[in-house]
Amino acid sequence: MAQQAFILWFGDAGSANNNLAALNQLLKQGWKVVQVAPMSGTGERGNETPQSQFPYSRAVLILEQQA
């Protein structure tokens, strides 16, 4: 059984800046989420959300695919 880590990232509410399409593609290919852990609070700033102290949030997902 194969596993991989996937870092999900997204901006503040209302921002279309995220990588959900990449995660959805993996899920369509048969990968399953088996564990999730938050990784927010990095303090990264971006042009999309300069008003927020922590404009980007992240979570690590462990994905698993049956052989």
Side-chain angles (χ1 to χ4, degrees), residues 10-34:
F10 47 92
D12 283 349
S15 174
N17 207 12
N18 61 59
N19 66 342
L20 288 172
L23 175 59
N24 285 333
Q25 185 61 35
L26 289 169
L27 296 174
K28 287 178 186 177
Q29 293 172 1
W31 290 89
K32 305 288 183 209
V33 177
V34 295

Side-chain angles (χ1 to χ4, degrees), residues 3-56:
Q3 286 190 334
Q4 69 170 302
F6 181 89
I7 306 299
L8 175 64
W9 55 269
F10 47 92
D12 283 349
S15 174
N17 207 12
N18 61 59
N19 66 342
L20 288 172
L23 175 59
N24 285 333
Q25 185 61 35
L26 289 169
L27 296 174
K28 287 178 186 177
Q29 293 172 1
W31 290 89
K32 305 288 183 209
V33 177
V34 295
Q35 188 173 2
V36 178
M39 296 175 56
S40 296
T42 63
E44 179 181 343
R45 293 187 176 273
N47 294 331
E48 297 83 9
T49 54
Q51 75 284 0
S52 177
Q53 183 179 2
F54 302 112
Y56 293 102

